[in-house]
């Protein structure tokens, strides 16, 4: 369950749309961002542009908050343009402020430039200092702004925006999916490993780009294909143009998209998310069978594995937790003295489903271990006889350099304790983690990055 | 699925707490209301009072919106008192304004009076004119204010607030659960049929009253018992006092609490909600078996019946819809010309779970039929081979006079069409409604009001 | 200067308009309230009604804040009706909340009732308990609500709303100007002493009622006459009707309207405010001549007297203080350690006008004496050679029971100190208060209440 | 009167403070900006920095609106630093958005950079393209951002921030007063003509820079001197350092500061504003004597000249207009059909002061002529016998290139009509404009820019 900050974070979701002149795309971007909201709740923004307007035209609105908080009728109505980009950014403490919200927008040599970015530029500091030495200034602290300035700088020596993007990409290390809007074109690129997702859709008169296929569906666009690792795609009045000269390296798609980040109804680089997680549950049932009365999942991240586990094992699925969908970010947490638990308010046990039962409980991962411990304790208080925990990913052991915000090792329970010790610590009757070799049950023969489990980073 | 206004509405949720002097109860009421939020999203309010303060002391805050929108740290910190009442009100169009929000509060003969109310006083207009003729004025248009004024009027001739409540209750017709806060006491009453729910809990030094037991759990109070139909309970420094002289008539608990209104983890008049709905699914499987590949439910109202159906039938449960939990009340609906469906954005089909499958789809009820038709259509577009609909309640045929906001008959699909015609209209391959005689599978031998299905109203 | 809470307060301003059906009056009430804003800045409200609509129609909006804060286009557009009342309420700490904001509105026997009120009902508690004993409840703590309930109660035995108002008025003691809106009529009354002001205007198809004539001008209405002390005026489709049967007693208009409350451009009971204050300045110059270089006034309350003093004495007028008009209620006051004075920020000395000068400084009154002391000190620091203070009212010595919020005696400097001691205390070179007998220079032979200076209360 | 958009606009007000480490300066900047609020009401902002913190530390807050709207306790408390800059920006329609609000802040080679700017860079477009060609990007459209980027660019080749400022200044044409905050220093510069004002003050342990001396007083700082035209001043832990190598050209201080922009209690380049305007009134009395009963001024811009005119002529000063100080920016203007005049609501005539009188009416300037015409009409309706208009500046005939937002010539009444024609057009009995040669009565032998009247621009 990912409601108690005991979780991983994804950087962002990006969305772009190119439509023939005369149509307003702002509201479609809004729906696209609604569909990507799970990828980031800190800030949201949309920038649009008229390709038949003057080169400096750009309407933009962005603010801290959810898409539905940032955009009302008033804000959407003010955005007019036939091409546009949108962004949702994930929520952390600290460096979160409006200056870092996206789309980033600038005036540059050729008019206006807007950029949305998901991922992490590993050599960002090096690039920033290179630009400083040439007199650049920055408004914020993100790698996204460094990227935008680098592209603008390259543009002064390149013959087109897509060439500038390509020149810039030669300097970049890391995992990223980026969409750039210039006055006449959208240019998208994906890092050579394909660490960050990006896909292409089409509908009447329009091309759509999005982090996940669920965002294509939300605007009734048809899925065309995933952008290839290393590919640069340009959308303009001349249609779609693809530059694949940087493609062809080893694929290393982030495994955590399949385990946790992506939405159930998305399909990513050929693999459906729901099926991946369902098969993960089946693999757990095969690897760690147990004699039990019911199978249940931690809402919402562990539910799909529970269905798979139930199916494979023949043990009936049951709902043991009710999740209060009204508990949001402004919820006032109880203080110690109120003897009320925050978990009780967000999640409550359905006692009649639990009393006297031996329970298999699935979840996607364990980070610090505090939440799962709490939940097991709640189940026992409600009369559960046994609680067997099954986790649909291997233990976290290594940091991620490509944009996934894993806590540092000192906070990772798997870094300090053995599986048996964790089992004891969280109060479970048994504990089974997905085996590294079983990950292929989820994603088949897709090239994935499992560095956070295995320490084998893509070079 | 209850996200598209194609649904029934419950009036409200009430909460009350009596604590020994010196403790502030506002934040516990806040948690109680969070747990009752599903009963009403239009307005929320809390009133508290210090029983060892002057007779006129009362702190109150209420506003339009969700509990989490109405109350922040600032608002809660301003409310100090050791007894209090809280209220959530359901959302409709029209008569919704702050004057009608609860708790209602007044200055009367004995100091301050606050009142929270769930239900409907059938003879309200008659009582209002009786009070008009005696020079009363009203601030709003609710039956709750009439009730409060009636109690205040009776108080001028009664020896105590509880006696005034009893005298007032002699005039009342309808279904209601009410909590009154006077400067020193809480007084609660439930209508003689027990149409509206109310239960009692206890924790160290405190008594708690709530519409549902889940609200007791949310403040770590222990469930003691349901308030009896017709009972008047007084909480004061002298402990708990019960007046049962109006009890003893026929019980007629609202069946829709079990079918839809109440929260999964509540237990009401002896029957757990989750179990009732699960058994409802089993009864449907028994009554309407079908050869199918998967069983799925409409989120969230049809899910529990799906688990029961799956278990009884042996057909595996599957998740076929992803619900976007970020789509709230401020969501901007697509216009016709955007060729984007609002349903697509709130609910999306998990295509890989659906393609080629014969599906049993459960829901709790059909009101207008538009939503279920839409969902079936989405499943077919995603490749479903067959869709068999199973509804865990009989068809709606009669209006409710006790506070449930059923649309008028002209809008009820079951009023116009036979079951076969409905099946055709919504595009299902087969359709089965829960049989009237099978409702006892859900609630056992509990006396329930099924007037909306049977036309047999409690007298 | 009245910017530092070292001041008197007036209760409120009232406004009413009766227009032929078919015209919306909300915006005119808005302008009327803008013109009366100086009479109260705590809350503002407007209620309107269609005389050809159903008897229960009433649109109302009110909130804490200035007229311009409470009303925007959105709020005004929602108010439709051809008759209406408006109110501004003065700002104090404490009992200020929305429940006490006006117009008060109710449903009563005959439909809707709205009421606006300026003044103070002296026997309010007695009336409240009379109503309690008959079962009444109140939402707030104002005498205005008691008045409204009393009228509603009388209405059940009276043949018309104006008769109910008259019957109610028989019970009232105090100073008040009230406008009541029933579904078909406006009824206004003024207390028998005429302590509180109320006047009548006319424009095409409309009658207008207001606390001050400046509000008539603001809607381009022509001044007709002042409402007579004790008069009850009814505006309806039958035109204007006057009941003067309670008139004829002694007049006792509040002298402070002329000294400070009313706006410069108003005319009240036959006497213009600007002229009254100008003549006050002349009277001071005659009574307390002094050899000086310039005459200046404390902004804004002392300026008009300065012009009169300058003219009579032949000493040139000069501006010695600049008032920062951007310092409003949300201004953040400096703390002690910031060594910055709040007065410096609100008022600053124009040094070149002051250096080396002997100055006559006029103001309307001295309450606590802290502000004038501060200002004299600022003038001396800027190089003033002498500062001679002239106050255009006699010393405050007695409390007011009719609605003027004078601080209690312990805070009144004149209650503790002689004029010589006050002069020393505030650091002036000389000090002259208006003589009691010179007040007639301001208001001629008008019957005025000077109880706060003389202790002679109207019986 | 400057309330009806029939007015000139000044660009901005700037404020800076350098204090020893350990003191928080945010609140003092807040007071300084309150005192400069008349120079701009569109947006306000403060940036602060700790000189003993890391080089990248910077706290900033800015938003659209008045200082009191933008800053509350919460916002001020979040700003910690011992040096800082603040800005108020003037209000126009169109290009007003948050991106253009100041202070501008950047990360650059040496850490953080903040900049506040009053004035206009004439060769801005040329500089912008120079920077574009080197790969720069801009967030907004102001010349201030071009200036900041230019300084940052120069910094990469300069040995210090003050040297970078000096190098940048070599490229600048126009009128400007700028304060730059780098991590350790404040650097201020004023254009070589001294078109825009900037002065220096001191208080215990602190140096203060401000557009006007009134802002020094507001923080109890002592006026030290005006910054010299062309001077660059650096404030750091080494004290104050002045670079005057660019000084020595011809002075051309903007005459409109004395006529209208600056605050009454400021002193600028040796000349007090109040005295300048008062002497302007005297000069008008000498040049255009008339037989009249009273002298009055248009609030607030014409009042001081009225005092001077009254004194010189011996005709008594009188107040003929009451200004409603509650009419602000959110005021809802009457529509045509409401037959109510917006001027009536903002300004009203004090009829008893006017009836039967021959009036001299002073104002500072006439732009379009619509407001003065309206006022004269109001005076006549209130019974004025004669209205003689005296304007304390010569007619506007030429555009300003240095930051004063004069309407284009087609809207300037003096461009189309002779003085006699204007007199007739506005309905005055006589009209006198200040003579060009009499301007020296206001400012003595100070070098001033009178280009807007004379067409003689400083080269």
């Amino acid at each position: 369950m990912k409601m108690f900050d005991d979780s991983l974070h994804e950087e962002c979701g990006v969305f772009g749309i190119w439509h023939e002149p005369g149509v307003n795309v702002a509201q479609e971007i809004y729906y696209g961002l609604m569909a990507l909201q799970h990828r980031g709740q800190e800030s949201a923004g949309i920038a649009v542009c008229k390709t038949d307007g003057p080169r400096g035209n750009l309407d933009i609105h962005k603010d801290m908050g959810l898409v539905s908080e940032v955009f009302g009728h008033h804000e959407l109505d003010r955005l007019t343009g036939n091409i546009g980009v949108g962004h949702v950014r994930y929520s952390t403490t600290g460096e979160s402020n409006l200056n870092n919200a996206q789309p980033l927008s600038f005036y540059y040599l050729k008019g206006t430039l807007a950029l949305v970015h998901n991922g992490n530029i590993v050599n960002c500091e090096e690039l920033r200092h290179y630009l400083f030495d040439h007199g650049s200034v920055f408004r914020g602290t993100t790698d996204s702004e460094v990227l935008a300035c680098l592209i603008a700088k390259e543009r002064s020596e390149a013959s087109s925006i897509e060439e500038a993007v390509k020149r810039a990409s030669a300097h970049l290390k890391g995992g990223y999916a980026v969409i750039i809007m210039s006055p006449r074109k959208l240019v998208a690129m994906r890092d050579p490993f394909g660490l960050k997702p990006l896909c292409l859709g089409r509908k009447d008169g329009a091309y759509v780009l999005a982090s996940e296929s669920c965002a294509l569906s939300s605007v009734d666009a048809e899925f065309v294909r995933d952008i290839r690792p290393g590919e640069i795609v340009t959308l303009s009045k001349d249609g779609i143009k693809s530059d694949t000269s940087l493609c062809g390296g080893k694929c290393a798609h982030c495994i955590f998209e399949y385990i946790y980040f992506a939405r159930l109804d998305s399909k990513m680089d050929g693999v459906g998310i729901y099926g991946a997680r369902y098969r993960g549950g089946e693999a757990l049932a095969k690897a760690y069978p147990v004699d039990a009365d019911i199978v249940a999942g931690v809402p919402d991240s562990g539910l799909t594995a529970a269905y798979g586990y139930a199916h494979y094992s023949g043990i009936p699925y049951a709902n043991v937790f009710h999740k209060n969908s009204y508990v949001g970010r402004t919820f006032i947490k109880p203080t110690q003295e109120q003897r009320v638990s925050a978990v009780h308010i967000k999640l409550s046990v359905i006692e009649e489903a639990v009393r006297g039962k031996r329970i298999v409980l699935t979840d996607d991962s364990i980070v610090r271990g505090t939440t799962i411990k709490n939940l097991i304790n709640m189940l026992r208080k409600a009369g559960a006889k046994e609680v067997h925990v099954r986790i649909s990913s291997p233990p976290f052991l290594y940091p991620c350099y490509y944009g996934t915000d894993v806590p540092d090792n000192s906070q990772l329970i798997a870094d300090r304790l053995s599986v048996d010790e964790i089992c004891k610590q969280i109060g479970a009757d048994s504990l089974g983690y997905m085996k590294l070799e079983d990950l292929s049950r989820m994603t088949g023969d897709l090239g994935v990055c499992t560095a956070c489990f295995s320490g084998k980073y893509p070079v």
Side-chain angles (χ1 to χ4, degrees), chain A:
Chain A
M1 204 202 21
K2 300 305 156 198
M3 296 189 297
F4 301 102
D5 286 342
D6 182 6
S7 61
L8 297 177
H9 293 291
E10 165 70 334
E11 289 272 318
C12 316
V14 300
F15 190 88
I17 182 164
W18 194 98
H19 208 293
E20 287 162 9
V23 172
N24 268 339
V25 295
Q27 203 156 341
E28 288 188 288
I29 302 174
Y30 169 83
Y31 296 125
L33 295 183
M34 290 294 285
L36 297 172
Q37 184 77 82
H38 60 287
R39 298 181 75 84
Q41 295 96 45
E42 179 191 85
S43 67
I46 293 174
V48 296
C49 172
K50 287 185 283 292
T51 55
D52 54 358
R55 295 190 78 87
N57 89 79
L58 182 92
D59 289 341
I60 183 167
H61 180 70
K62 58 183 176 178
D63 210 340
M64 307 310 287
L66 298 174
V67 176
S68 61
E69 294 165 346
V70 171
F71 291 96
H73 278 289
H74 178 70
E75 286 74 21
L76 279 184
D77 290 351
R78 282 179 33 224
L79 299 171
T80 54
N82 63 305
I83 67 173
V85 290
H87 193 266
V88 290
R89 190 173 151 88
Y90 84 124
S91 171
T92 68
T93 50
E95 263 305 60
S96 93
N97 63 57
L98 194 52
N99 259 359
N100 288 344
Q102 298 193 19
L104 297 177
S105 71
F106 304 94
Y107 296 91
Y108 81 126
L109 189 57
K110 295 295 180 180
T112 44
L113 184 83
L115 177 143
V116 292
H117 170 218
N118 171 32
N120 197 35
I121 309 297
V122 174
N123 61 331
C124 173
E125 280 316 294
E126 184 189 313
L127 295 171
R128 192 191 308 270
H129 277 89
Y130 164 77
L131 290 163
F132 270 155
D133 287 342
H134 287 77
S136 282
V137 300
F138 298 96
R139 281 292 177 99
T141 56
T142 59
D143 53 356
S144 307
E145 190 177 3
V146 171
L147 182 51
C149 287
L150 187 63
I151 292 169
K153 188 157 187 58
E154 295 293 345
R155 182 66 183 90
S156 61
E157 296 175 31
S159 63
S160 67
I161 181 69
E162 55 267 39
E163 194 198 319
V165 169
K166 191 175 181 180
R167 291 171 69 122
S169 75
H171 298 286
L172 302 179
K173 292 177 188 162
Y176 47 86
V178 179
I179 313 175
I180 293 112
M181 178 170 72
S182 82
R184 303 290 180 249
K185 299 173 184 172
L186 288 190
V187 182
M189 67 170 163
R190 194 176 177 193
D191 68 86
F193 291 117
L195 281 154
K196 299 297 165 188
L198 193 63
C199 64
L200 176 74
R202 163 183 278 167
K203 59 187 291 189
D204 278 5
Y207 286 100
V208 185
L209 292 157
S211 292
E212 294 188 32
S213 66
C214 66
L216 305 181
S217 309
S218 76
V219 297
D220 273 343
E222 183 192 352
F223 176 83
V224 175
R225 62 176 179 89
D226 294 282
I227 301 299
R228 289 179 58 189
E231 183 178 4
I232 295 173
V233 165
T234 306
L235 304 175
S236 71
K237 68 173 168 22
D238 304 325
I240 187 165
K241 210 177 63 184
S242 168
D243 179 338
T244 58
S245 57
L246 301 176
C247 299
K250 195 181 101 183
C251 273
H253 305 303
C254 173
I255 184 69
F256 245 83
E257 294 285 351
Y258 301 93
I259 294 171
Y260 169 61
F261 294 146
R263 219 171 81 167
L264 270 192
D265 56 328
S266 284
K267 194 168 184 177
M268 204 171 263
D269 291 308
V271 177
I273 305 301
Y274 176 80
R277 292 181 195 165
Y278 194 94
R279 291 189 298 275
E282 291 177 324
L284 286 170
K286 189 177 175 202
Y288 305 104
V290 65
D291 200 14
D293 301 308
I294 55 173
V295 180
V298 174
D300 294 326
S301 53
L303 294 179
T304 307
Y307 310 146
Y309 196 107
H311 187 217
Y312 188 94
S313 66
I315 305 169
Y317 172 78
N319 185 2
V320 300
F321 294 111
H322 176 266
K323 179 178 159 189
N324 188 336
S325 56
Y326 300 103
V327 175
R329 292 177 304 166
T330 59
F331 169 66
I332 298 173
K333 292 205 182 64
T335 56
Q336 210 57 25
E337 67 193 22
Q338 270 148 347
R339 298 160 300 158
V340 171
S341 152
V343 176
H344 261 205
I345 291 154
K346 293 179 173 177
L347 271 199
S348 44
V349 178
I350 300 170
E351 193 180 318
E352 64 181 313
V354 165
R355 183 157 304 281
K357 298 283 172 36
R358 295 166 304 166
I359 304 170
V360 174
L361 183 69
T362 58
D363 203 359
D364 68 304
S365 61
I366 298 180
V367 181
R368 289 179 189 81
T370 47
T371 300
I372 190 78
K373 182 178 177 178
N374 225 323
L375 296 177
I376 293 168
N377 188 34
M378 283 165 67
L379 290 173
R380 294 213 189 272
K381 276 181 66 179
K385 260 168 66 183
E386 296 174 14
V387 182
H388 301 274
V389 174
R390 299 294 178 263
I391 300 299
S392 55
S393 65
F396 269 121
L397 293 168
Y398 302 91
C400 177
Y401 301 118
Y402 305 108
T404 299
D405 183 27
V406 186
D408 60 74
N409 279 27
S410 66
Q411 305 198 305
L412 294 175
I413 193 169
D415 193 62
R416 301 191 320 268
L417 303 178
S418 71
V419 171
D420 279 356
E421 287 167 331
I422 295 171
C423 181
K424 206 167 163 184
Q425 167 89 16
I426 64 177
D429 291 286
S430 74
L431 168 64
Y433 276 99
M434 174 83 81
K435 292 173 186 183
L436 202 51
E437 61 270 27
D438 278 354
L439 285 174
S440 62
R441 301 284 291 266
M442 299 179 77
T443 53
D445 55 2
L446 200 63
V448 291
C449 173
T450 61
C452 51
F453 311 131
S454 65
K456 292 180 191 156
Y457 296 92
V459 194

